[in-house]
Amino acid sequence: MKVVVLVEGESDARALEALLQPIIALAGSRGIGVKFSSFGGKEQLLTDGLKFAAARLREHPQDYCIALPDLHPCGQARPPWQHATAAELRQRLQEGFIRAMDAAGASPELVGHFLAHVLQHDLEALLLASEERLRLRLGRKRFRRCWRLPVEEQDDTEPPKVVVQRLFRKAGRRYQETRDAPWILSKVDLEALCQACPQSFAPFISDLRRLVDRP
């Protein structure tokens, strides 16, 4: 059995793989593979990613797929993908998967093997919730918090990634998401992160653990 997490970009895949190593290792000890597949952006995940999930589950009905796109940007998508909230995006994902499954000729029973989740607003919310590691990466003894708490409550006009980029610029550096995000998240306490991100990230971790803990 494999659990495939569908994400927008390679930076998301690398960062989540670094963060979730304890869960990935536990899954491996139980003969369960956890892998991340990136699709090059939100629009591609919503279309190509859901087609990929339907085709994979048709060929490997014992597997599970978890969609994990960014909520940002929201309010811009055209039908049938329009959404303004995380709940609406999860609903659009479920509807899109059913369409992709029907087109692929997959069994309706596979609906339960697809789980819709969201990064709210983007992966960098997890970096803002990891203040100590973020501070170390910036080489600062301290910094003044310039974002909302809880971190998943950022404004969509200034999502977490924009805040992180600004913090790096103030430190005289350019944020390199494929390097900085995995470094920051590689030694973060996952339980503390779930407590800091209870709206969307914690439910994703709960579902992933449930799949890994399956008998």
Side-chain angles (χ1 to χ4, degrees):
M1 168 183 157
K2 285 187 173 60
V3 179
V4 183
V5 183
L6 317 179
V7 295
E8 290 188 15
E10 184 62 27
S11 60
D12 296 325
R14 292 187 188 183
L16 289 170
E17 187 173 10
L19 171 64
L20 301 180
Q21 272 306 308
I23 295 179
I24 294 171
L26 176 61
S29 71
R30 296 177 176 177
I32 300 171
V34 177
K35 63 174 291 187
F36 300 87
S37 292
S38 58
F39 291 88
K42 184 173 183 176
E43 183 176 349
Q44 292 89 335
L45 192 157
L46 293 175
T47 53
D48 297 340
L50 297 187
K51 292 176 184 177
F52 166 87
R56 178 170 187 99
L57 294 178
R58 182 192 61 195
E59 296 298 321
H60 304 279
Q62 75 280 7
D63 289 355
Y64 286 80
C65 288
I66 303 177
L68 194 65
D70 293 352
L71 177 59
H72 177 80
C74 61
Q76 301 177 10
R78 293 172 294 180
W81 304 111
Q82 67 274 23
H83 59 275
T85 66
E88 288 175 353
L89 178 52
R90 288 191 293 268
Q91 181 64 31
R92 298 293 91 77
L93 287 165
Q94 288 286 359
E95 294 165 352
F97 175 71
I98 291 173
R99 290 194 298 272
M101 188 180 63
D102 290 344
S107 169
E109 296 178 358
L110 294 174
V111 170
H113 284 237
F114 174 81
L115 305 176
H117 284 282
V118 176
L119 286 170
Q120 186 173 317
H121 287 276
D122 50 39
L123 179 100
E124 282 72 17
L126 306 183
L127 306 190
L128 296 181
S130 308
E131 288 191 37
E132 181 64 18
R133 290 287 292 175
L134 177 58
R135 183 186 61 78
L136 288 173
R137 190 61 168 175
L138 292 170
R140 295 294 183 90
K141 291 183 178 180
R142 64 183 64 85
F143 52 57
R144 186 174 65 179
R145 186 183 298 130
C146 57
W147 57 89
R148 294 183 183 180
L149 292 179
V151 295
E152 290 179 314
E153 287 292 342
Q154 304 311 303
D155 193 311
D156 188 53
T157 60
E158 190 168 295
K161 186 172 183 177
V162 171
V163 177
V164 169
Q165 289 172 332
R166 185 166 60 243
L167 289 170
F168 272 79
R169 285 196 301 270
K170 287 182 178 179
R173 299 179 52 186
R174 182 173 65 87
Y175 172 54
Q176 296 179 293
E177 55 193 31
T178 56
R179 295 183 179 182
D180 294 316
W183 189 96
I184 292 168
L185 294 178
S186 63
K187 294 183 180 180
V188 170
D189 182 87
L190 187 55
E191 300 304 328
L193 203 56
C194 287
Q195 291 178 15
C197 304
Q199 296 180 32
S200 293
F201 182 69
F204 159 64
I205 294 299
S206 178
D207 268 349
L208 181 60
R209 282 176 165 155
R210 178 176 58 83
L211 295 177
V212 169
D213 288 338
R214 288 173 63 85

